[in-house]
Amino acid sequence: MTATNASPSDVSNNSRPSDKLSDDQLVKMLYDMMLIRRFEEKTMQAYQQAKIGGFCHIYIGQEASAVGSISALKDDDPIVGAYRDHGFALARGMHPNYCMAEMYGKITGCAKGKGGSMHMFDRDRHMYGGHAIVGGQCPLGTGLGFSIQYEEKDNVALCYLGDGALNQGGFFESMNLAAIWNLPVIFVLENNNYSMGTHIARGTAMANDLSAKAQAFGMRYAECDGLDVLDVYNTFSDQVAMTRNAKNPQWERGNWDEIEYSREGSNPGPAFVNVKTYRYQGHSMSDPQKYRSKDEVGEYKERDPINILVNHLIEAGKATQDQCHELDSKAKQVSKDAITFAEESPDMPTEEMFTDVYANPFGPYIKGGLPNIITNENSGE
Amino acid sequence: MVSTNGRTLQYREALREAMEEEMRIDERIFLMGEEVGEYNGAYKVSQGMLEEFGPRRIVDSPISETGFGGLGVGAAMYGLRPIIEFMSWSFCLVAADQIINNAPKMLYMSGGQFGCPAVFRGNNGAGGQLGSTHSWVVESLFSHVPGLKLAVPSTPRDAKGLLKAGIRDPDPFFNLESERMLGMGLHGDKDYSRYQHANKWAPPENDKDFIIELCKADIKKPGTDCTIVTDGRPVHFALEAAEALEEEGIDVEVVDVRTYRPLDIETIAGSVRRTGYAVVVDQSWPFASVGAEVASQIYEHCFDDLDNQVLRVHNDDIPAPYSRQREQDMLPNAKKIVDAVRSVTYNA
Amino acid sequence: MAVTVEMPKLSDTMEEGTLIKWAVKVGDTVSAGDHLADVETDKATMELQAFDDGTVAKLILDEGATVPVGQVILILAEDGESVEDAAKTEVSTAPAPAKEEPPAEPASAGGSDEPEKAPEPAKPEPQKPAPAPAKPIAAATPTPSPQAPASGSVKISPLARKLADEHGLDLNKIVGTGPDGRIIKRDVLKAAQDGTARPSAGGASAPPMAAPQAIALESKTTQVPGMRKTIAKRLVESKTTVPHFQVSVAINMDPLMEMRATLNQRLASQGIKLSVNDFITRAVALAATQHPVINSSWMGDTIVQHGTVNVGTAISLPEERGGGLVVAVCRDVQNKSMMQISSEVKELAGAARGRGLSPEQMSDSTITISNLGMPQFGVTQFNAIVNPPNAAIVAVGAAIEKPVVRDVYGEKKIVIGHEMNATLSGDHRVIDGASAAEYLTTFRSLLENPVGLLV
Ligand SMILES: Cc1ncc(C[n+]2csc(CCOP(=O)(O)OP(=O)(O)O)c2C)c(N)n1
Ligand SMILES: [Mg+2]
């Protein structure tokens, strides 16, 4: 079978999911993007003031990718991704204070200062972490999809990855497992053209037609303009709908020759979505960006994802210039407050170093009945 | 002859019993691995489980250790209780990133939000003439990593009790089984009763709550003259050595660590304090191994109780050779242990 | 209010940066994201971006300058502020607090338009947070055994030591049967059973490895005897007023030792025994005749060069004679034979240690010898304090056997030879280093060709 670029909006191009977004929802999307932008500016500044350490990857330019895709999810759809994760955390609703405090290594950080910039986790918001080993999150996302199917829930797992992860074995194994078991997971390629300084065409076979990656596994493929948050939203609204309630054909034992893997229409299954985006900043804070021209960056800035939405809202009469300014000021202030919060928060205390190594350091082991194993209940100490 | 209630339960059956009992209790538990289902298990550990639990919970995975090892981590984070079977621990190395970089660090890196209550299990140690790539012993590699728990059961009873404890435990649990012991117990009392305390070696019947607490070393044979600290399959070499030494009037105590992480140093040190001598036996290569760690901890805890240095018996420091006799030579065995005990007790 | 821009941290390991090139000049307007300068980090040259809008008021760094992360490098005038005013903003050249420190003061959380505060300048001595208390998790670390370490000679296992301690046994009386005679458990148990190795009476419970028996040192105060006072006064005077310097030589004593042995054999029947010191005394005097500057005295306005060589020899007095040090003087040594010198010096030494020296026997030295080469000392080299008004003192050590390089039939070989060190301390007001070296060269050659001393 061939992979299809199935999008209902192609069929009935007059009605797109974004048409049904309320003004409030649209404004919220704009604000989320502005918040990410302003927050990341503050992050850079704090990094340069040596308040933030380690490796730090800025999401500026890619805001529409996280905001557009997450807006298409239910609140309890789990997501997992890579280390360029501040944008996801904020788009998922993590309070900017906790995100910034984490980067400051403070106890008030989302992971108590144990994770840092590359490891943002938020259990309450079903964010299963930023993961710093390239491609390492792919099997985890597959596990989330597996769990949803196992529990027969109607959620969808989103597993984000950079174009660099396309070349990792774990990615292929994950695609294969998702395909053979028809897991409710979407592999979201945040294709910003570069893994560090390596252009995708230099590192990835078939870079000019990434549908081949999906096709190899008989998986649905879609792509979208990652600078246009509404296009991202529309694409994910469709894809998520076509992924929910994916059923495992192998739950029926029998004649393997006749397993049916068709995933269109009424038969949902996993997908691979190529979000074409761009990062304005260097790979990390220490990247002099010798591998691309200023003109190239400049061209992308002409199509700034925030401006695109601002223009759209103003043209459509859904917001005024002043309102947009006001939103931006708010985003600035909230980001500034996050810095203040992080600065004022206490460091991770020494005792805290030794917690969370084991959920159950030595026992006792409960005899009989259901064991007490819910890990997050053990985490409060 | 001591009684084992007449149970004839093989080590592999004990593992199966552990999984089955826990799966009946807890719907979130599933078993995933290569050939665990339709094939009935590469080593027949999971024989019949597909019939009882169905393909949703007994999942045949393709040969993708990174993929399904990491899937287990993700599922455990989500709240399921995966049991991931590696056909052999020798094959887990391709999944190293998932099982030692992701699993044991998730709880910590997420500040306690996401744990990883997954079990990883499979055969560990030399099978028989499998050559170097297939003869891995991983306890020394993995015990190095904080955040995981690791057991090396030596009897059907321990295999069942430890695996059940590991399944219930909220932390990632590595169960290192031995292909060479899977059939142990097939002949019931005959298999168990060679040594004095064999009656402990079959798990009790009809006790679904039978578990063996982690971090509890077990004195497999009490003695007064020298402590042998060991694990898993070498426990049997040590017991064999103990019989030979008894004839010479040396009464050794065999301590089975059962878990390296956490390590029950109290029991080990208690024994060494009584005997004054220690021989540490493992199946690892000697450099930076579990045996080296145990020896070092004995020095820390028992320095003034030692009448001689701690001696170690371990693999020769070479990749496992294929040749039958040479493979035997490179592994620890009863003779090496006898020599070490004689030497350490000044009876050489 | 002006906005300051600091040297940014642009990599995880960067500590300082070099300003390669400014991309803006005073008066330029910039907005957030604009390229301000190129900065060289430990990894690469990177662009420094503006985080705020404004007009460039002042470029604080010259191109090429290297400053620590956090130091202010540029000032921006904000909207409505004059460039001149902004340029006057006081900035510290100290870097912002490093991240190890707790932030000195939280940044203001005030109104939305409030500008950024410049980072607090670092305190001159950054206060590191107090070192964290030891971690609470690890299993009890064993406390080190308080017992004294085994005395080097006793090999014993830790357990055997503990048992011997418990039984109060004397380790030196236990025979070890372990490898290399190590005392092991069974040896201690046997000794305990046999009743051997009981410690000597009184010390029943003394730990076998306890510290050596205490040595009681008596503390007492004594009046300083007159001679000590004189010695003290003269030595202090010498050490503080005479500018000392030292020059040393190593002397091959093989020929002399050989000749002395032969001579003494011959002279034995006459009851004469020449000492090494006798030869040294003569050599000191003969060398002085060739280098008269060594045989001189500093007299303030004048330097006196002496017409004869009176060699003083430092002699330490026995405790029962009150101890101390005298210089016995052998006169006109340059004109005396070895035999004369030998018998005179012997007599002087005897007198010094016995009834005492006459004032005449202690005065008018022109050069001094201090010899600590007696075998009971084994001193190989030392520096002496000049004995005023002499300008030089020669300190000699023992002639000892050691590996030396010698010409053996035209080939350089390492052989066992006698070597002696002599160190001249000189009064630099009179003697220069080179003169001292020349003198010692003569002195050495006299001793190395000792026949010359006999004629
Ligand atoms: C296994 C592994 N190899 C190398 C790295 C170092 N590294 C970190 S990010 C990165 C580039 C990844 O690029 P991409 O996946 O495109 O993500 P992007 O940075 O563009 O968001 C590399 C090589 C790593 N973290 N993990
Ligand atoms: Mg990329």
Side-chain angles (χ1 to χ4, degrees):
Chain A
M1 68 162 270
T2 44
T4 47
N5 184 350
S7 166
S9 49
D10 291 344
V11 186
S12 50
N13 48 359
N14 288 338
S15 128
R16 308 207 67 200
S18 58
D19 297 342
K20 301 200 194 78
L21 286 171
S22 69
D23 290 4
D24 283 354
Q25 283 172 310
L26 286 166
V27 165
K28 167 91 167 59
M29 285 165 86
L30 176 61
Y31 173 72
D32 281 351
M33 292 205 288
M34 287 172 158
L35 176 63
I36 294 172
R37 176 74 53 97
R38 296 306 183 191
F39 181 91
E40 291 290 62
E41 285 170 1
K42 281 288 165 204
T43 301
M44 288 165 73
Q45 197 172 10
Y47 187 93
Q48 295 190 354
Q49 291 166 350
K51 300 280 175 69
I52 295 174
F55 292 147
C56 187
H57 309 84
I58 300 298
Y59 200 65
I60 293 178
Q62 302 186 193
E63 295 92 343
S65 168
V67 172
S69 56
I70 287 171
S71 301
L73 296 180
K74 295 202 295 187
D75 284 349
D76 59 350
D77 287 332
I79 66 167
V80 66
Y83 46 83
R84 196 178 297 282
D85 57 356
H86 320 156
F88 293 105
L90 299 182
R92 209 51 230 269
M94 181 189 291
H95 197 291
N97 287 3
Y98 303 145
C99 189
M100 188 60 80
E102 183 62 30
M103 291 192 261
Y104 271 63
K106 299 299 183 75
I107 186 67
T108 49
C110 64
K112 307 185 196 169
K114 291 175 178 174
S117 160
M118 302 194 285
H119 305 110
M120 295 289 170
F121 289 83
D122 191 338
R123 184 165 191 118
D124 292 344
R125 284 168 195 78
H126 305 270
M127 165 143 175
Y128 284 72
H131 295 270
I133 300 296
V134 170
Q137 76 279 23
C138 295
L140 302 182
T142 311
L144 297 176
F146 178 91
S147 302
I148 292 165
Q149 185 182 68
Y150 186 93
E151 303 256 274
E152 301 184 73
K153 293 187 174 161
D154 69 349
N155 291 109
V156 173
L158 254 55
C159 178
Y160 293 86
L161 54 133
D163 43 296
L166 285 178
N167 314 319
Q168 276 283 26
F171 165 69
F172 294 102
E173 293 191 17
S174 298
M175 292 280 281
N176 188 56
L177 295 182
I180 59 171
W181 294 326
N182 202 42
L183 302 178
V185 56
I186 298 177
F187 294 97
V188 186
L189 170 63
E190 292 206 279
N191 183 0
N192 59 14
N193 266 340
Y194 292 95
S195 56
M196 297 186 70
T198 304
H199 190 276
I200 183 169
R202 294 175 56 226
T204 302
M206 296 296 288
N208 55 340
D209 181 8
L210 292 174
S211 71
K213 305 287 171 192
Q215 203 173 343
F217 300 98
M219 197 184 280
R220 232 174 33 246
Y221 172 81
E223 58 185 36
C224 58
D225 178 359
L227 306 176
D228 179 350
V229 70
L230 296 182
D231 193 41
V232 177
Y233 174 81
N234 288 327
T235 304
F236 277 87
S237 296
D238 296 344
Q239 293 302 324
V240 165
M242 287 187 280
T243 304
R244 277 194 208 288
N245 299 307
K247 294 279 177 290
N248 188 337
Q250 295 197 28
W251 282 11
E252 297 298 326
R253 292 173 67 192
N255 191 345
W256 305 124
D257 282 343
E258 288 166 17
I259 282 198
E260 185 52 69
Y261 279 115
S262 165
R263 281 159 194 129
E264 281 154 62
S266 56
N267 194 359
F272 174 67
V273 180
N274 177 3
V275 181
K276 296 174 179 171
T277 179
Y278 199 76
R279 64 166 152 78
Y280 292 177
Q281 298 297 323
H283 164 70
S284 68
M285 290 298 295
S286 53
D287 173 8
Q289 305 181 53
K290 301 292 184 217
Y291 48 85
R292 63 182 184 185
S293 70
K294 291 204 134 182
D295 289 350
E296 181 184 307
V297 183
E299 273 168 37
Y300 274 99
K301 285 186 177 171
E302 293 293 305
R303 291 200 66 235
D304 185 289
I306 294 176
N307 288 347
I308 289 176
L309 183 58
V310 166
N311 291 342
H312 171 84
L313 293 182
I314 292 175
E315 274 168 28
K318 296 182 190 240
T320 65
Q321 190 85 43
D322 283 352
Q323 275 174 318
C324 294
H325 262 296
E326 228 168 82
L327 281 179
D328 190 39
S329 301
K330 184 176 159 205
K332 269 186 179 167
Q333 185 58 44
V334 167
S335 304
K336 213 167 173 179
D337 292 348
I339 292 280
T340 308
F341 176 83
E343 300 240 351
E344 287 176 349
S345 293
D347 254 333
M348 178 167 82
T350 316
E351 316 84 76
E352 192 60 46
M353 269 167 71
F354 298 98
T355 65
D356 303 324
V357 181
Y358 291 99
N360 180 5
F362 281 93
Y365 295 86
I366 298 138
K367 280 202 151 204
L370 275 180
N372 167 26
I373 30 73
I374 311 296
T375 51
N376 60 330
E377 287 181 4
N378 295 323
S379 69
E381 85 298 50
Chain B
M1 186 87 137
V2 273
S3 162
T4 57
N5 308 327
R7 282 205 89 184
T8 56
L9 191 78
Q10 296 179 57
Y11 189 102
R12 62 160 60 81
E13 292 166 334
L15 294 168
R16 186 188 312 146
E17 209 171 81
M19 293 191 287
E20 286 172 344
E21 285 177 7
E22 294 301 306
M23 286 181 74
R24 284 176 204 132
I25 297 172
D26 188 342
E27 179 67 21
R28 297 165 305 172
I29 302 171
F30 65 93
L31 171 67
M32 177 180 282
E34 291 155 21
E35 312 300 348
V36 296
E38 300 287 347
Y39 194 85
N40 274 308
Y43 297 94
K44 305 294 172 260
V45 171
S46 56
Q47 190 157 32
M49 289 178 71
L50 177 62
E51 300 310 324
E52 177 177 352
F53 298 102
R56 170 169 159 267
R57 299 184 67 192
I58 306 296
V59 189
D60 274 327
S61 161
I63 308 156
S64 306
E65 281 79 3
T66 294
F68 70 83
L71 182 153
V73 179
M77 290 172 75
Y78 188 87
L80 300 188
R81 314 287 300 189
I83 302 175
I84 303 297
E85 176 175 311
F86 293 119
M87 197 180 278
S88 156
W89 277 102
S90 291
F91 310 145
C92 80
L93 300 180
V94 297
D97 181 49
Q98 296 301 328
I99 65 173
I100 59 174
N101 214 1
N102 274 345
K105 299 176 180 171
M106 208 57 80
L107 184 72
Y108 196 80
M109 292 221 310
S110 66
Q113 296 180 83
F114 294 98
C116 181
V119 171
F120 301 94
R121 43 163 292 270
N123 287 323
N124 180 54
Q129 288 189 274
L130 298 179
S132 185
T133 57
H134 279 45
S135 304
W136 263 96
V137 274
V138 296
E139 52 270 44
S140 295
L141 283 186
F142 295 152
S143 292
H144 191 60
V145 184
L148 59 80
K149 293 173 179 171
L150 185 145
V152 194
S154 64
T155 66
R157 179 188 160 90
D158 287 359
K160 181 175 177 186
L162 291 169
L163 181 53
K164 281 173 70 93
I167 292 170
R168 294 182 187 194
D169 195 90
D171 292 309
F173 178 75
F174 289 33
N175 206 45
L176 277 50
E177 301 149 13
S178 165
E179 184 189 340
R180 301 295 294 265
M181 294 200 299
L182 289 177
M184 171 199 265
L186 177 62
H187 308 295
D189 287 353
K190 220 166 120 221
D191 276 12
Y192 299 138
S193 58
R194 278 174 62 201
Y195 316 115
Q196 223 176 330
H197 287 260
N199 61 333
K200 280 198 209 150
W201 288 9
E205 216 161 358
N206 297 325
D207 180 3
K208 65 178 172 26
D209 293 330
F210 166 73
I211 62 154
I212 292 174
E213 266 186 57
L214 307 183
C215 198
K216 285 270 183 285
D218 187 33
I219 298 182
K220 284 285 186 304
K221 175 194 171 305
T224 52
D225 297 340
C226 176
T227 300
I228 302 176
V229 187
T230 183
D231 69 74
R233 189 164 169 238
V235 165
H236 302 276
F237 306 153
L239 290 167
E240 201 180 320
E243 289 192 342
L245 288 161
E246 207 149 359
E247 286 165 20
E248 300 173 17
I250 303 174
D251 182 16
V252 299
E253 178 152 304
V254 178
V255 179
D256 179 356
V257 299
R258 295 208 286 208
T259 58
Y260 275 113
R261 249 191 196 271
L263 181 70
D264 178 9
I265 189 62
E266 291 311 320
T267 299
I268 297 168
S271 172
V272 175
R273 282 189 201 110
R274 284 194 298 279
T275 65
Y277 304 99
V279 171
V280 178
V281 185
D282 68 8
Q283 305 185 80
S284 292
W285 293 279
F287 196 98
S289 63
V290 282
E293 174 64 25
V294 170
S296 166
Q297 290 204 23
I298 290 173
Y299 283 120
E300 282 171 28
H301 290 264
C302 310
F303 185 73
D304 283 317
D305 306 294
L306 288 169
D307 198 32
N308 203 343
Q309 68 203 85
V310 178
L311 290 190
R312 293 199 280 145
V313 176
H314 42 69
N315 280 355
D316 287 344
D317 204 6
I318 53 171
Y322 165 74
S323 155
R324 186 176 148 73
Q325 193 48 48
R326 295 291 85 81
E327 181 186 50
Q328 291 306 310
D329 291 349
M330 72 92 67
L331 299 171
N333 58 38
K335 177 165 184 322
K336 292 183 188 178
I337 298 171
V338 166
D339 288 347
V341 170
R342 283 188 192 137
S343 166
V344 82
T345 55
Y346 302 108
N347 285 303
Chain C
M1 271 286 279
V3 174
T4 57
V5 175
E6 296 87 24
M7 174 57 74
K9 180 173 151 82
L10 295 167
S11 87
D12 52 315
T13 46
M14 175 173 170
E15 281 165 10
E16 57 178 26
T18 302
L19 193 120
I20 298 296
K21 203 168 167 304
W22 285 114
V24 291
K25 57 185 187 312
V26 173
D28 286 358
T29 44
V30 298
S31 46
D34 282 0
H35 177 193
L36 295 179
D38 291 339
V39 169
E40 188 179 59
T41 75
D42 55 336
K43 286 186 175 164
T45 300
M46 311 249 301
E47 285 186 5
L48 167 60
Q49 294 179 13
F51 288 110
D52 300 274
D53 304 343
T55 308
V56 177
K58 189 174 179 188
L59 304 178
I60 293 175
L61 281 196
D62 290 338
E63 291 179 352
T66 301
V67 294
V69 166
Q71 183 169 319
V72 176
I73 61 174
L74 176 145
I75 300 174
L76 289 180
E78 274 205 323
D79 231 10
E81 183 185 23
S82 88
V83 167
E84 289 73 25
D85 287 352
K88 285 185 205 129
T89 308
E90 291 228 356
V91 294
S92 159
T93 50
K99 69 176 169 191
E100 285 90 346
E101 295 172 79
E105 208 182 65
S108 159
S112 59
D113 286 325
E114 193 184 304
E116 300 295 330
K117 264 195 195 166
E120 294 280 334
K123 299 177 191 86
E125 293 215 47
Q127 295 176 332
K128 289 252 162 65
K135 58 62 324 98
I137 242 185
T141 352
T143 32
S145 163
Q147 285 161 342
S151 60
S153 57
V154 181
K155 272 197 147 190
I156 180 165
S157 79
L159 175 62
R161 177 184 303 150
K162 190 174 76 173
L163 290 174
D165 192 2
E166 281 165 13
H167 287 91
L169 299 182
D170 181 349
L171 291 185
N172 293 306
K173 295 184 188 157
I174 303 178
V175 180
T177 63
D180 293 333
R182 180 194 299 162
I183 299 170
I184 60 178
K185 174 173 129 187
R186 67 171 170 235
D187 303 329
V188 176
L189 295 181
K190 184 167 182 297
Q193 205 174 22
D194 298 353
T196 53
R198 288 261 167 267
S200 41
S205 65
M209 286 285 109
Q213 240 185 16
I215 300 167
L217 289 174
E218 190 192 3
S219 39
K220 63 175 182 184
T221 311
T222 48
Q223 279 298 309
V224 178
M227 182 164 65
R228 262 273 142 223
K229 269 192 184 144
T230 313
I231 296 168
K233 188 160 156 277
R234 298 204 35 197
L235 289 177
V236 167
E237 203 180 316
S238 168
K239 190 71 185 172
T240 53
T241 62
V242 176
H244 279 70
F245 73 105
Q246 273 84 22
V247 182
S248 300
V249 284
I251 302 163
N252 172 7
M253 297 290 276
D254 285 343
L256 192 146
M257 302 305 273
E258 210 178 299
M259 190 184 81
R260 174 174 166 258
T262 325
L263 277 176
N264 280 346
Q265 237 169 32
R266 301 228 184 112
L267 296 170
S269 56
Q270 301 167 46
I272 296 173
K273 194 180 171 199
L274 301 175
S275 70
V276 176
N277 192 64
D278 297 335
F279 290 94
I280 292 169
T281 306
R282 181 144 165 85
V284 160
L286 289 188
T289 60
Q290 292 181 39
H291 304 277
V293 64
I294 304 297
N295 196 45
S296 307
S297 296
W298 175 264
M299 293 283 139
D301 294 330
T302 56
I303 291 174
V304 175
Q305 198 171 296
H306 302 291
T308 188
V309 188
N310 298 339
V311 179
T313 302
I315 296 172
S316 64
L317 300 181
E319 213 46 54
E320 54 274 18
R321 294 263 292 101
L325 195 66
V326 291
V327 175
V329 181
C330 185
R331 291 167 183 270
D332 311 311
V333 175
Q334 80 280 14
N335 297 326
K336 285 179 174 159
S337 74
M338 283 300 308
M339 310 276 257
Q340 277 174 298
I341 294 168
S342 178
S343 64
E344 246 186 76
V345 170
K346 198 177 272 165
E347 202 199 305
L348 285 168
R353 294 188 171 125
R355 68 190 133 80
L357 294 170
S358 67
E360 213 208 354
Q361 286 172 315
M362 292 193 287
S363 49
D364 299 330
S365 70
T366 59
I367 187 166
T368 316
I369 297 172
S370 180
N371 187 341
L372 288 178
M374 302 70 122
Q376 72 265 33
F377 291 148
V379 169
T380 56
Q381 183 166 17
F382 70 104
N383 297 335
I385 295 179
V386 167
N387 176 32
N390 298 177
I393 183 167
V394 179
V396 293
I400 56 159
E401 286 190 322
K402 59 189 280 194
V404 292
V405 179
R406 297 268 195 268
D407 239 321
V408 180
Y409 303 118
E411 234 191 290
K412 293 226 182 291
K413 288 236 163 88
I414 294 177
V415 297
I416 298 173
H418 287 89
E419 198 174 75
M420 185 186 83
N421 288 302
T423 301
L424 180 146
S425 298
D427 180 348
H428 223 317
R429 295 171 301 185
V430 182
I431 310 171
D432 295 324
S435 320
E438 280 161 20
Y439 171 82
L440 282 180
T441 306
T442 306
F443 173 69
R444 184 180 70 188
S445 106
L446 282 165
L447 290 173
E448 290 184 346
N449 306 287
V451 193
L453 298 172
L454 297 179
V455 293

